Amino acid sequence: MDPATEVSSMALEANGQPDSEAIRRLEEEHRHYSEKLEALLQKPWLSDDEQLEEVRLKKLKLHIKDQLTLVRSQTRAFSAA
């Protein structure tokens, strides 16, 4: 299952309406990654492993942001219908 389909099925309740709980979970996950990244970037310098972790966290945040955008656009489309 591709990520867009996974988000689509996750973000819809049984009645086909957008699931605000799914949006809340995605927002919380994004906040979690932001906090970890911020803590990492407070260090005066980063080891090689920490630099890799920085890149990984940025990619995870971007992936979650893309999922949130998709779910929110589905919510707007559902509301407009």
Side-chain angles (χ1 to χ4, degrees):
M1 180 182 295
D2 69 57
T5 306
E6 183 179 330
V7 171
S8 297
S9 62
M10 175 185 75
L12 296 177
E13 295 176 345
N15 61 4
Q17 294 183 359
D19 181 3
S20 60
E21 180 63 22
I23 293 172
R24 188 199 63 73
R25 282 191 308 267
L26 288 169
E27 289 172 340
E28 179 61 32
E29 192 172 351
H30 188 270
R31 187 171 22 264
H32 172 75
Y33 292 140
S34 291
E35 289 169 0
K36 288 181 74 169
L37 182 61
E38 184 61 33
L40 188 64
L41 295 177
Q42 293 299 316
K43 295 183 174 193
W45 62 273
L46 300 177
S47 68
D48 289 343
D49 287 342
E50 289 169 331
Q51 289 175 15
L52 288 174
E53 179 68 1
E54 176 188 10
V55 171
R56 186 183 79 83
L57 289 169
K58 286 179 178 180
K59 287 181 179 181
L60 286 168
K61 279 182 56 180
L62 183 58
H63 178 71
I64 297 299
K65 184 177 178 181
D66 289 345
Q67 288 180 328
L68 276 166
T69 300
L70 176 63
V71 171
R72 287 177 176 148
S73 69
Q74 289 173 341
T75 301
R76 283 190 293 275
F78 182 81
S79 297

